[in-house]
Amino acid sequence: MILNVARYNYPEQFGPSFDRLMENIGTQILEGRYILTDEVKQFESAFAGYLDTGHTIGLNSGTDALIIAMMALGIGLGDEVITQANTFYATVAAICFVGATPVLVDANPHTFLMNVAQVEHAITPNTRAILPAHIYGACTPMDALLRLSQLQSVYLLEDAAQCHGASFEGKRAGTFGEIGCFSFHPSKNLAAAGDAGACVTDSAVLADKIRVIRGLGQGRPNEHVALGLNSKLDSIQATILTWKLVLLDAWNESRQQIAANYREQLTGLPVVFQETPAGSTHVYHLFQIKTDARDNLLDHLIQAGIDAVVRYPQPIHLQPAFKAQGWNRGQFPVAEDLAATTLCLPIRPDMSETEINTVCGAIRSFYGAGR
Ligand SMILES: *Cc1c(COP(=O)(O)O)cnc(C)c1O
């Protein structure tokens, strides 16, 4: 089958200066400069500057960022961490990896983000942290969560893997709590050429702890002062990320324009869109539409060569990996509904008007609304 509208276009992300970038990376490879090089430090300081936060610590992946953030805060056995039932597997797996217990709240049916009103009721004496995932690229309203975390003396963490550059009331997602966790997986708005991630924090003390943990627990060479992982951002990936970071805001703006175009063209059809919370911006990592005819529409789009996908077809509480948590079907009805009724349309910064029209035309034809 011919792919008419793709989800990714990597050559476009690198642009005409690709050869210069390869030359730079080639030099690093030949010189044997791989680990925690100046290139890594350069990206860390550029990304911290971009977010207007104190420190970025480059890591292997977003999953590691979540695990290491909780390790740095001493979250573990007997502790509860609150997140939402409609996030990506890694958010919840990370909580389990450090030995803590994930406590879920449902999704907000309009914003598809964490239902922040439910968080207060989920807090117990064992709660150590609240961990909203800003999924699909919209920033969760952070004011109530920030107040609640301060009032209850629990940490606020953020899974910011899908929302590089989004903000709430002018402040960038990932910078509200003690630590923000980012992924630079190739699918994300800011993408490495492989796995990569980062923790960001305003606290110099936490930044030091995270650096020790990512480097096998070493305070200085051969002195292992803490239990650590080996999770360092590669120099090659850092070079690519620094290269792309200067383009991120323009890319996010393109995504926003494409999203506006989709909304305009699809208005009047029986599809519902994700609402951006008041005060938040949305950087459209994914463009979701919600429809009771999801599965048939998905088939129809795939038949038309449109790379639509479902993110995510199974909510957290029904994933086999979390069976031991004892969650049941029906417990988080909004997350279940979203898993059954949403699909993502392709959205890339470089999408052409023709591609957008192709997608919208296919959706209109599905609903018999004519092209
Ligand atoms: C991608 C993603 C992660 C995991 O990041 P990796 O770099 O793939 O390990 C975690 N949480 C969310 C919400 C994600 O989208």
Side-chain angles (χ1 to χ4, degrees):
M1 193 170 356
I2 301 165
L3 194 58
N4 292 315
V5 185
R7 260 182 305 145
Y8 307 112
N9 181 351
Y10 293 108
E12 183 63 32
Q13 288 189 15
F14 289 104
S17 42
F18 180 73
D19 289 346
R20 232 168 7 108
L21 177 63
M22 286 306 107
E23 204 176 306
N24 177 330
I25 287 172
T27 305
Q28 290 177 48
I29 290 175
L30 293 176
E31 289 179 355
R33 296 192 296 111
Y34 306 133
I35 309 280
L36 298 184
T37 57
D38 285 347
E39 284 79 2
V40 175
K41 293 188 187 94
Q42 231 169 51
F43 172 67
E44 289 177 336
S45 100
F47 195 57
Y50 174 81
L51 296 176
D52 195 15
T53 189
H55 313 269
T56 292
I57 307 94
L59 306 169
N60 263 347
S61 70
T63 305
D64 276 9
L66 289 159
I67 293 171
I68 290 172
M70 287 183 270
M71 287 174 74
L73 291 168
I75 294 172
L77 203 65
D79 296 333
E80 293 173 3
V81 178
I82 300 171
T83 189
Q84 75 241 40
N86 69 324
T87 182
F88 179 54
Y89 161 83
T91 320
V92 181
I95 298 170
C96 298
F97 261 114
V98 299
T101 303
V103 172
L104 301 181
V105 297
D106 209 348
N108 177 306
H110 308 291
T111 64
F112 306 174
L113 297 168
M114 173 182 264
N115 186 332
V116 293
Q118 292 184 0
V119 174
E120 192 170 354
H121 308 288
I123 290 185
T124 77
N126 296 325
T127 306
R128 290 290 303 286
I130 305 168
L131 171 54
H134 307 298
I135 52 167
Y136 314 139
C139 190
T140 311
M142 294 304 284
D143 47 354
L145 290 181
L146 202 54
R147 265 199 309 277
L148 191 62
S149 69
Q150 284 161 356
L151 198 70
Q152 301 279 349
S153 302
V154 301
Y155 297 125
L156 183 59
L157 300 173
E158 290 168 82
D159 184 337
Q162 298 190 5
C163 66
H164 317 73
S167 61
F168 176 70
E169 291 178 349
K171 194 171 161 60
R172 298 274 200 199
T175 67
F176 286 88
E178 274 70 24
I179 305 173
C181 304
F182 284 87
S183 165
F184 309 113
H185 180 273
S187 64
K188 314 290 184 185
N189 288 27
L190 180 61
D195 281 314
C199 283
V200 306
T201 180
D202 243 345
S203 155
V205 174
L206 283 175
D208 279 341
K209 281 190 184 172
I210 293 165
R211 280 190 205 100
V212 168
I213 294 169
R214 82 169 165 187
L216 297 158
Q218 294 175 103
R220 48 195 167 87
N222 295 312
E223 190 187 41
H224 302 266
V225 294
L227 197 59
L229 305 172
N230 181 16
S231 182
K232 297 171 297 243
L233 177 65
D234 283 328
S235 189
I236 293 174
Q237 303 301 357
T239 305
I240 291 170
L241 291 168
T242 304
W243 203 271
K244 288 185 180 180
L245 179 60
V246 292
L247 300 165
L248 179 61
D249 279 342
W251 284 342
N252 284 342
E253 275 166 38
S254 297
R255 288 173 181 274
Q256 287 163 345
Q257 277 163 17
I258 294 159
N261 193 332
Y262 270 145
R263 281 168 191 264
E264 197 181 310
Q265 292 205 45
L266 300 175
T267 293
L269 296 176
V271 297
V272 172
F273 305 113
Q274 179 185 13
E275 275 177 28
T276 306
S280 295
T281 65
H282 197 321
V283 293
Y284 291 99
H285 170 59
L286 298 170
F287 187 86
Q288 296 280 358
I289 60 173
K290 184 177 185 314
T291 162
D292 290 335
R294 196 270 307 274
D295 290 344
N296 289 337
L297 177 58
L298 181 66
D299 282 347
H300 179 84
L301 293 176
I302 290 169
Q303 288 303 319
I306 292 161
D307 197 5
V309 287
V310 174
R311 293 276 183 276
Y312 301 95
Q314 188 90 298
I316 290 299
H317 62 291
L318 302 179
Q319 290 286 357
F322 301 125
K323 209 171 164 183
Q325 303 296 331
W327 293 315
N328 298 309
R329 193 172 287 280
Q331 207 174 340
F332 304 102
V334 177
E336 286 175 34
D337 178 55
L338 293 174
T341 58
T342 57
L343 67 81
C344 315
L345 303 180
I347 189 161
R348 317 182 315 265
D350 66 296
M351 254 174 109
S352 69
E353 191 80 26
T354 311
E355 288 179 295
I356 301 167
N357 294 345
T358 300
V359 177
C360 295
I363 297 172
R364 272 200 300 276
S365 85
F366 174 79
Y367 286 110
R371 296 184 81 87

